[in-house]
């Protein structure tokens, strides 16, 4: 059985939606889903067959859909466009929030009432579980839908997402807290139910998670390759981008695509990248040696494999067991990013390399006034390039790829 686990994370939950879109397109049949906090809410909408509605909600999300607030005031605060009257209003509202011990989440409860259909969830053949913390009884609850009393499923979804900044309310006479304080990535629930293959969608939001043992389990981890914002950033533009990022990151994990920022198809020729390295001329290797300050007497081809390759892998932040493919795609990845080549597309190595070779570096001059004190100091130092590993990587990329 294949299980899907959605990590909690508030507004970061938009990333789940893009990841699940990729899972659907890959034709993977999910037998059960567990989630914490927003992961539980997204899971519920997937299970009840309303994934399209879930997508639409995230594409149009706003703060006023979650807490009782004015979106225009929030935007002013976010942009720090506050006049004296705004500041006075903000102070008064903060006093109310502190006095009432949290944000009023009436809109979020109304959202649950509007979009969650308990009967659809219970009638679905897909397993559904979530996590919450009962503060009244000092007990964590890891429950599947069959464990939840009929009529209480929305309350449990709300309890799972009860963040500390929300106004404290009792559900069924008891006080609950966000499930992330016990287990923000509840994959153990599915393992204990007999699931032998898991797909974990991370948000890396604050919370407790169990150790993931991928060595002895069939586990695929889909993890953000870029910043997906803060837990409380309920802004449509950010969430739309997270959905796109989640989609491509999921394809990377499911199709074994290469690259750190970009998405590159694996090369079927296992010797392609090794041969590409060995095709470097001694003149090119000497240039790289000079850039990397390697002055020993080891022959060029030998130093390439024994010294240059491991050092480049370390600077790129690759795992210790990286391959030649990881290394060369990683270098090309860096170059493509600097050139601002379209990111959200699947490339072959040759396609991306051709784009890199035919794209000019964007001209973005910085005014002296915009430079930090540290940057101004560095500009006056003759060996400033020593402080810039990124610049060195780009020069080495140019040498290797003949740019």
């Amino acid at each position: 059985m294949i299980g899907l686990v959605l990590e909690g994370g508030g507004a970061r939950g938009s990333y789940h939606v893009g990841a699940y879109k990729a899972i659907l397109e890959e034709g993977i049949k999910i037998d059960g889903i567990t989630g914490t906090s927003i992961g539980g809410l997204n899971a519920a909408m997937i299970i009840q067959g309303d994934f399209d509605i879930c997508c639409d909600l995230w594409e149009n999300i706003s703060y006023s859909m979650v807490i009782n607030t004015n979106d225009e005031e929030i935007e002013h605060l976010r942009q720090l466009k506050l006049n004296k009257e705004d500041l006075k209003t903000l102070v008064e509202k903060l006093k109310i929030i502190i006095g009432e011990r949290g944000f009023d989440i009436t809109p979020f409860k109304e959202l649950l009432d509007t979009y969650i259909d308990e009967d659809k969830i219970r009638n679905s053949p897909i397993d559904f579980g979530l996590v919450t913390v009962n503060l009244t009884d000092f007990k964590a609850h890891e429950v599947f839908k069959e464990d939840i009393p009929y009529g209480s499923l929305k309350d449990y979804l709300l309890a799972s997402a009860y963040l500390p900044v929300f106004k404290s309310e009792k559900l069924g006479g008891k006080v609950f807290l966000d499930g992330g304080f016990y287990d923000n990535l509840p994959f153990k629930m599915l393992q204990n139910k007999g699931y032998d293959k898991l797909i974990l969608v991370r948000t890396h939001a604050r919370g407790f998670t169990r150790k993931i043992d991928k060595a002895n389990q069939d586990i695929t981890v889909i993890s953000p390759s870029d910043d997906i914002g803060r837990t409380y950033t309920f802004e449509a533009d950010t969430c739309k981008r997270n959905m796109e990022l989640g989609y491509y990151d999921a394809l990377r994990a499911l199709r074994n695509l290469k690259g750190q920022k970009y998405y590159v198809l694996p090369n079927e020729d296992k010797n392609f990248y090794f041969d590409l390295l060995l095709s470097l001329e001694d003149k090119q290797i000497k240039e790289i040696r000079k850039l990397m300050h390697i002055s020993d007497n080891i022959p060029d081809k030998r130093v390439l494999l024994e010294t240059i390759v491991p050092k480049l892998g370390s600077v790129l932040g690759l795992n210790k067991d990286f391959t030649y493919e990881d290394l060369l795609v990683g270098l090309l990845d860096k170059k493509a990013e600097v050139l601002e080549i379209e990111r959200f597309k699947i490339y072959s190595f040759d396609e991306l390399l051709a784009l890199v070779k035919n794209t000019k570096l964007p001209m973005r001059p910085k005014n002296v006034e915009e430079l930090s004190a540290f940057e101004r100091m560095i500009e006056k130092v003759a060996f400033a390039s020593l402080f810039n590993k990124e610049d060195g990587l780009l020069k080495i990329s140019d040498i290797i790829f003949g740019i």
Side-chain angles (χ1 to χ4, degrees), residues 276-294 296 298-309 396 399-400:
L276 192 155
L277 279 170
L278 289 186
S279 70
L280 291 175
E281 297 177 358
D282 289 345
K283 178 183 176 182
Q284 293 171 291
I285 299 173
K286 281 182 170 62
E287 288 182 64
I288 296 172
R289 290 178 73 143
K290 186 176 180 181
L291 283 169
M292 298 181 72
H293 307 287
I294 299 170
D296 52 50
I298 301 174
D300 290 328
K301 283 288 194 274
R302 182 176 164 188
V303 82
L304 173 66
L305 300 180
E306 290 185 1
T307 306
I308 292 174
V309 166
I396 291 169
I399 294 168
I400 291 175

Side-chain angles (χ1 to χ4, degrees), residues 46-180:
I46 290 170
I47 287 167
Q48 69 185 34
D50 289 329
F51 178 63
D52 289 342
I53 296 174
C54 185
C55 290
D56 186 64
L57 277 171
W58 279 111
E59 287 176 350
N60 296 282
I61 197 73
S62 66
Y63 289 96
S64 60
M65 292 170 65
V66 182
I67 59 175
N68 191 6
T69 190
N70 182 298
D71 286 315
E72 187 176 341
E73 290 176 357
I74 291 288
E75 181 61 20
H76 283 181
L77 177 61
R78 195 176 73 84
Q79 301 290 344
L80 295 179
K81 296 176 181 176
L82 298 173
N83 56 36
K84 289 183 180 179
E85 194 61 34
D86 289 330
L87 285 169
K88 183 179 178 181
T89 302
L90 176 61
V91 170
E92 291 302 317
K93 292 205 169 190
L94 287 174
K95 284 181 180 178
I96 294 172
I97 291 169
I98 295 169
E100 295 183 354
R101 297 186 178 181
F103 289 99
D104 177 0
I105 57 169
T106 298
F108 182 56
K109 289 187 282 188
E110 292 173 349
L111 186 147
L112 291 177
D113 286 337
T114 302
Y115 293 102
I116 297 301
D117 189 319
E118 182 167 351
D119 287 333
K120 282 185 179 180
I121 293 171
R122 291 189 181 277
N123 292 331
S124 171
I126 302 174
D127 282 328
F128 171 55
L130 52 79
V131 181
T132 187
V133 177
N134 184 330
L135 286 180
T136 303
D137 297 336
F138 297 101
K139 183 180 179 181
H141 289 288
E142 297 176 288
V143 292
F144 283 95
K145 61 185 179 182
E146 59 267 25
D147 305 317
I148 300 173
Y150 187 83
S152 299
L153 194 144
K154 292 178 187 176
D155 285 341
Y156 272 80
L157 281 169
L158 181 60
S160 180
Y162 232 107
L163 294 167
V165 295
F166 291 167
K167 184 177 178 181
S168 180
E169 297 179 26
K170 290 186 177 181
L171 300 173
K174 298 183 179 182
V175 178
F176 288 86
L177 186 63
D178 189 288

